Amino acid sequence: MITRILGLLRVISSSFTMQAKERATNQFFVGTLLVLPIIFTLLSVGTYLYGGKGDFGLFAVIGAGMMGVWNANLWTSGRIVEGERRGGTLSTLIASPTPFPVILVGKSLSNAFASLISLVVTFATGLIAFRLKLDITYPAAFVISMILTLISMTCFGLVLGSVFVLSRNAGDFMEAANYPIFILSGLMFPLTVLPAWLRPLSSLLAPTWGNLALSSSAGLIGENPWLIDLYLIGLSLAYLIIARVLFKQVEYRVRRDGSMEVF
Amino acid sequence: MTAIKIENLGRIFSTTTGTIRRTRKDVTALENINLVVEPGELFGLLGPNGAGKTTLTRILSTVLLPTSGRAEVLGMDVVNDTKHLRPRIGMVYGGERGLYWRLSGRDNIQYFADLYLVPPEVSRKRIPELLELVGLKDRADERVEGYSRGMKQRLHIARGLINNPDVLFLDEPTIGLDPIAARELRNVIAELHQKGTTIFLTSHYMYEVDALCQRVAVVNKGKIVMTDTPTALKQLVANLEVVEVECLDASAEALATLRAHPRVESVNVENRDQTQVLQIQSPGGVGSVPEFLRILEAAHVQKVVTRQPTLEDAYVKILGKEALST
């Protein structure tokens, strides 16, 4: 049992490293990490400032940072499955003794931690372009919130990953879903401007709570960051349970339909 | 215990046509397959493209589910017992896909060693051994994207062996390789067999199966047509000689007349760039050549050769005239 657990941890670690090595050779991803956060910050903060809502500037910086994290993490993780399918490695991975979600955890975590770069770029852009300095009120809570946000986004990525395995068009779907998710998670505009009937949907999304956790630990909103962190932990566990159930179903379906190599 | 046991196995693929009015169509890829492969055997599955070879390999390597019947590998059910079976088998599919091109060959094998839960102290020793076995030791730290097709194929073999599998599935491993690379790969396969690995090899190259396999199953249109040793299969055509006629333009009428000739068993037509090569299996052999040439008078015959039959000729005979003739 212990040997198996150690083996699976080694898979997570080597998937993490492998993804990092592949990413380093992918200029497109480097662009996603460095260029997109600048664009998001300029657009998002600019919208508030020139709309006469300068008070929301820092809130917009964190929102833009989360958009960068989303792009570098979940969107790219979706592309992981698509890339494996196109490269012909998906069937080899699924036929290996390691459960596929474990492989995906390592790869997604790797992207998640790389996405921290985009957060730094966002804060730097806010500071240089708009002189918005983020004074973090609760530094310890901010760091914990950041880590939990990344973990929660990774777990959310696992749920989506099962859909990616199932469908060859998942990447296109993710592209189309990008902006609706930015809006639903309150990354572009405060959640309070959303209609009430949409808010339950927002509460199911990891970026919503990641954004709230970071904003509250930075002192931008009056919520208790530790409570939001607890919610992030609960949400991550729920994602993991859903992902486990889904992957079992998905593996059966792709073996039944013979769709692992179809793209 | 047998290495592989297949009972009444079948696989049907469903496809749909049309955009608005969708019509479902079932395609039978495998039908009523029965087969036993013994431990340590190098077993060949021979058949033309689309015969069902890859489908069968994918079912046995747990990537695809059958729609009927059952299959066991090492006594384990390929549908339900994947957790225990997967660590003990290896699979190599033909072609260049299935590797991480942006990583080095060594990184690729190391990654799959981890996925197969090979302990680090074992993989540290095994990876250099495998790279040596497949002749990639000196290029192991280069990115795979710079490898030739043959090198990628050999890397596939090394990857498939990383868990020291009891049964190795090789699906058309030499497809698309140049003759030298194919020969090198065949040497690797023969070496693995000598070390005791059970190998299930699919191919549509007769020479390959003849050179490597102890037993062969000929599969066509999803059904096993015959199973025997290559020598026994060649016995089917032992009383025949093969007359190869290279010509420019054999008409359909001439071919029909040839096929109806009492001293002709079968005629296989191979279209090359500028010419056609007719392989005529005949018990008459050399003695019948003048008659054949009379029938092919208008076909501008360039060259005539007679030779002893090979496994390929047995294959042509087994599959029947319609399967390979054009």
Side-chain angles (χ1 to χ4, degrees), chain B residues 263-280:
Chain B
R263 297 179 78 177
V264 171
E265 282 273 331
S266 73
V267 180
N268 179 39
V269 183
E270 198 182 308
N271 289 308
R272 295 185 181 164
D273 285 347
Q274 302 290 327
T275 60
Q276 290 173 302
V277 176
L278 315 183
Q279 293 168 335
I280 307 166

Side-chain angles (χ1 to χ4, degrees), chain A residues 11 14-15 18 21 25-26 84-87 89 92-95 97-98 103 251 255-256 258 261 263, chain B residues 11 62-65 78-79 82 86-87 91 97-98 100 102-103 107 111 114-118 120 143 159:
Chain A
V11 171
S14 60
S15 297
M18 248 242 346
K21 283 183 181 176
T25 64
N26 185 346
E84 304 284 358
R85 190 191 292 276
R86 284 183 181 277
T89 42
T92 327
L93 295 183
I94 287 184
T98 301
I103 298 169
E251 190 192 328
R255 287 176 73 206
R256 184 195 66 190
E261 300 287 316
F263 58 88
Chain B
R11 169 74 208 197
T62 76
V63 177
L64 190 66
L65 297 179
V78 297
V79 174
T82 54
R86 284 173 177 170
M91 77 210 81
R97 297 170 71 229
Y100 295 98
R102 288 178 176 175
L103 302 183
D107 282 343
Y111 186 50
D114 291 334
L115 293 187
Y116 275 82
L117 309 175
V118 178
R143 277 195 203 174
R159 181 192 54 70

Side-chain angles (χ1 to χ4, degrees), chain A residues 1-11, chain B residues 114 116-121:
Chain A
M1 184 67 181
I2 291 172
T3 316
R4 183 166 169 84
I5 291 170
L6 284 176
L8 293 180
L9 286 174
R10 206 164 43 246
V11 171
Chain B
D114 291 334
Y116 275 82
L117 309 175
V118 178
E121 61 276 13

